[in-house]
Amino acid sequence: MSEKLTESASLITEVSLNNVVNKIEIEDFEINLLLQAVLFRYGYDFHHYARASITRRINNCMRKTALNNISEMIAKILHEVDFFELFLKEMSVTVTEMFRDPKVFNTLRQQVFTQLKTYSRVNIWHAGCATGEEVYSVAIMLKEEGLLSRCRIYATDFNNHSLDIAEKAIYPAEKMAGFTHNYLLSGGKASFADYYQAKHRHAKMHSSLKEHITFANHNLMKDQSFAKMHLIICRNVLIYFDQVLQNKVLKVFQQSLLHRGYLLLGDKESLDFSGQSKNFLCIAKKEKIYQKINYD
Ligand SMILES: C[S@@+](CC[C@H](N)C(=O)[O-])C[C@H]1O[C@@H](n2cnc3c(N)ncnc32)[C@H](O)[C@@H]1O
């Protein structure tokens, strides 16, 4: 009797294990089909995003849009352009803040901006700018260094929803205390309140900062460079890409930079193992600031 029980228990375990494995396999299969559909219909290749993160985001999107499974999402992706916009929004991790990692901004000011002062015109590309907080931080620093008037900042992202927020330059007032703290730690020379106007529960950044910024949609998966740059800032974007896409994007950056141009990456990103380290000099290891040293 007990032998029979053990036998049926192990049979049940095997069957339920098979079900679990099947469920995961089905989801994996559906995700591959979904990514194919996105590529086929819109030319966005998410195959080179970190798989665990993309799976989590797709499942979140499914829950938020009250779909029953990924196959239903495939049909919507193929037939509803509006749904794709929403999908793109859900695929982006847009966490950002002003003067994030203040030490990095301090080093940028001390080591890079002093060099940029030797140019009469300066082009800066801010790739993956999300909702714009980092771009306004850089614009404030450039203003304090007397550089903003000769700068053109191209701030790009593939998420139109984030770009809209960035263009409006309006942020929740309750975030200003934290931003002020970061600003001071980053070597801010004035009062942070000089750069925004508080109204009700919001703060609007001064339009004098925005005059020098061009916001535009740009997809690092497939779009090329659009001008020669003195500085490229791309922080906390490459971490979501696999090595293949990271290499491709870093090559675009290398080709877009002028000789002696600067590249700033995020805390967990680097040029190591990218094939680009030979083309750059690391000028601030902890802050991930590099300078291009070849002539291509
Ligand atoms: C975590 S945010 C980083 C924001 C800011 N750079 C920072 O560090 O505070 C990542 C941004 O990268 C953008 N992004 C992801 N994949 C992209 C792609 N293929 N092309 C352009 N932007 C992309 C996302 O939309 C998101 O706004």
Side-chain angles (χ1 to χ4, degrees), residues 81-93:
V81 177
D82 285 353
F83 182 84
F84 178 64
E85 273 298 319
L86 196 146
F87 173 83
L88 267 191
K89 181 171 163 243
E90 292 303 322
M91 290 307 109
S92 300
V93 179

Side-chain angles (χ1 to χ4, degrees), residues 219-231:
N219 182 354
L220 290 166
M221 283 182 245
K222 64 186 180 90
D223 298 333
Q224 292 301 309
S225 170
F226 40 86
K228 280 286 183 190
M229 304 292 164
H230 296 82
L231 165 66

Side-chain angles (χ1 to χ4, degrees), residues 173-198:
E174 78 248 22
K175 289 195 170 175
M176 290 298 139
F179 293 169
T180 304
H181 181 70
N182 282 356
Y183 165 76
L184 292 172
L185 289 178
S186 75
K189 291 181 173 170
S191 158
F192 185 61
D194 292 347
Y195 299 110
Y196 66 85
Q197 235 176 354

Side-chain angles (χ1 to χ4, degrees), residues 6 15 21 23 55 62 86 90 111-112 138 141 163 166 182 206 210 221 234 256 259 263 273 281 290:
T6 322
V15 170
V21 169
K23 221 177 146 202
T55 302
M62 197 171 79
L86 196 146
E90 292 303 322
Q111 298 200 25
V112 176
V138 169
M141 274 189 3
L163 285 172
N182 282 356
H206 274 185
K210 223 167 85 172
M221 283 182 245
C234 183
S256 315
H259 178 57
L263 173 65
F273 317 112
L281 190 70
Y290 301 87

Side-chain angles (χ1 to χ4, degrees), residues 56-106:
R56 220 172 21 250
R57 310 232 118 238
I58 289 171
N59 279 315
N60 281 347
C61 180
M62 197 171 79
R63 269 189 296 278
K64 281 193 188 171
T65 51
L67 296 174
N68 295 309
N69 51 52
I70 296 168
S71 295
E72 284 184 10
M73 197 184 285
I74 297 171
K76 286 180 91 66
I77 286 286
L78 288 174
H79 301 291
E80 296 174 29
V81 177
D82 285 353
F83 182 84
F84 178 64
E85 273 298 319
L86 196 146
F87 173 83
L88 267 191
K89 181 171 163 243
E90 292 303 322
M91 290 307 109
S92 300
V93 179
T94 54
V95 181
T96 185
E97 62 186 53
M98 290 204 189
F99 299 96
R100 189 183 197 181
D101 310 319
K103 175 94 190 341
V104 172
F105 283 86
N106 209 325

Side-chain angles (χ1 to χ4, degrees), residues 44 46 49 88-89 91-97 100-101 126-131 133-134 156-159 162 217-222 233-241 245 249 266:
Y44 283 55
F46 279 100
Y49 275 57
L88 267 191
K89 181 171 163 243
M91 290 307 109
S92 300
V93 179
T94 54
V95 181
T96 185
E97 62 186 53
R100 189 183 197 181
D101 310 319
H126 210 123
C129 68
T131 39
E133 285 86 334
E134 210 181 42
T156 65
D157 204 286
F158 78 158
N159 180 334
S162 293
N217 188 300
H218 180 279
N219 182 354
L220 290 166
M221 283 182 245
K222 64 186 180 90
I233 300 173
C234 183
R235 298 173 74 210
N236 309 305
V237 180
L238 297 182
I239 33 165
Y240 299 104
F241 300 168
L245 185 55
V249 171

